Amino acid sequence: MRLLFVTSEVFPLIKTGGLADVSGALPTALASSDTEIQILLPAYRGMLAQCSSPKHLGSLQPFHDIRCELYKTLLPGTNIPLLLIDCPALYDRDGGPYHHPLHGEWEDNPLRFGVLSKVAAMLAMPNMLQAWQPEIVHCNDWQTGLTPYYLKQMGSQAKSVFSIHNLAFQGNFHADWRYRLTLNLEDYQAEGYEFYGQVSFMKSGLFYADALSTVSPTYAREIQTDQFGFGFQGLLQHRAADLTGILNGIDTEIWNPAQDPYLPAHYTASALSGKQAIKQALQAELGLRQQADTPLLGVVSRLTYQKGLDMLIEIADVLLGSGCQLAVLGSGEASMQRQYLSLMQRYPGQVAVTIGYNEPLSHRIMAGTDIFVMPSRFEPCGLNQMYGLRYGTIPVVANTGGLADSVHGGEINAQGVPGTMTGWVMADNDASTLLVTLQTAMQVYANSGQWQQLQRQAMQQDVSWETSAQHYQTLYQNVLSSPKA
């Protein structure tokens, strides 16, 4: 099976969120099977220099006034071919892959990711750059949403799978972009790529792809409802038979407490003492009081309303009044950042807040804290709760999306911890329920025997990509065996 995996970010080269982790780990898991896989990615600033001996394959002209160069190398740390679209005018910039360093989203994002989508379709046609052609093009989120459209426009025989990682980010742009992106005007309608008077990359992927997937079974059901559908619920209900929810995994080599290079000590489910040493080192690193028996709560997240972290602010005074500690790493809404920094000022030695992205510190928080707090209002899959499970940092999560699918809740009774329990799943997603659930978790933490049993159960849960990759293999086979739409 020949598969072209198209994405706007991939770890370890470029990362803004979970999409990068998935884009690095899923192809690696698929490559261990009978899948021939190549990854297609824009060559953002400095990326070619990060790769080993990139080979120039040739030039492509996706649009009449846009010319780009295609390079082939390997995804660092793997043997997976990586194709990089080198177009300095579009990708060689300061800032992130989607945002100007000062002024919000890049105004030409439709063109930048229109090129990514168009090049993906061009590589699925006979071309002079390489003999290899994909049978399936796997597209990820709105940045690749025009790819299924271009495949049909160009008459490619390749099938397409479009994965929804977060339906809230849709890539909707002014209608005039249909001319610049060479979209057929007759398809600018409800039965096409039009969405409330705009060109929608997400709508294009949802409407034109041969099959749809999303990142957890629960989220696949949720996005067909008014609450979580963001205007696409009707289309997704119509395409329900083509929609599959497959829970993400994590890279268990990178996220491994027994050998994580970012940690000052190591541990396993059967030998947990190293976790306590990491906690003490983390407290020292973050300026928290050295209190080994105090429950240390962790947050690694975007600081946004979606993530429910305003609820944690709301209950912070009562929660911290119990004596626990809190370590926060993330960035997001300016007002929420200010609230968390203010909380740190009010509780010196008890609260540590680091604004920004710091991969090494995220590993140490995941390993050095006791309870991981993730009360998202919606969460397509989520990876941090799985990192928590892997590291024996017990998750407290909302009952939504992949959180509900990956964390097994329960009630601890006189007989001890239920054998399937790996964390707490809140019955209701509000501040008062979050407070009660965290208080319950901290009560159990005080019983070291129960807590260690819970840690071992969490760490023994299978969160690898192997099972998920098998589900994707089945999806690909089903798509290949179905008639071309």
Side-chain angles (χ1 to χ4, degrees), residues 28 84 104 141 154 187 192 205 217 228 237 257 275 280 297 341 346:
T28 301
L84 292 172
D141 260 354
M154 298 167 67
D187 296 323
F228 296 103
Q237 291 166 15
K275 185 171 174 61
Q280 292 172 344
L297 280 56
L341 290 171
R346 298 205 322 269

Side-chain angles (χ1 to χ4, degrees), residues 146-200:
L146 290 183
T147 301
Y149 178 82
Y150 286 133
L151 288 170
K152 294 188 183 299
Q153 186 187 58
M154 298 167 67
S156 173
Q157 292 303 301
K159 298 289 189 69
S160 59
V161 173
F162 182 71
S163 285
I164 309 155
H165 296 265
N166 193 333
L167 196 62
F169 301 103
Q170 301 178 348
N172 301 328
F173 303 102
H174 194 279
D176 286 351
W177 279 104
R178 56 193 160 156
Y179 305 103
R180 189 71 178 80
L181 297 171
T182 65
L183 307 177
N184 295 345
L185 299 186
E186 60 267 26
D187 296 323
Y188 182 69
Q189 56 165 309
E191 296 289 311
Y193 58 78
E194 181 269 342
F195 185 64
Y196 289 98
Q198 294 182 298
V199 170
S200 175

Side-chain angles (χ1 to χ4, degrees), residues 391-414:
Y391 280 58
T393 299
I394 304 304
V396 170
V397 301
N399 187 18
T400 186
L403 304 181
D405 290 334
S406 58
V407 179
H408 303 301
E411 295 295 331
I412 295 176
N413 52 37

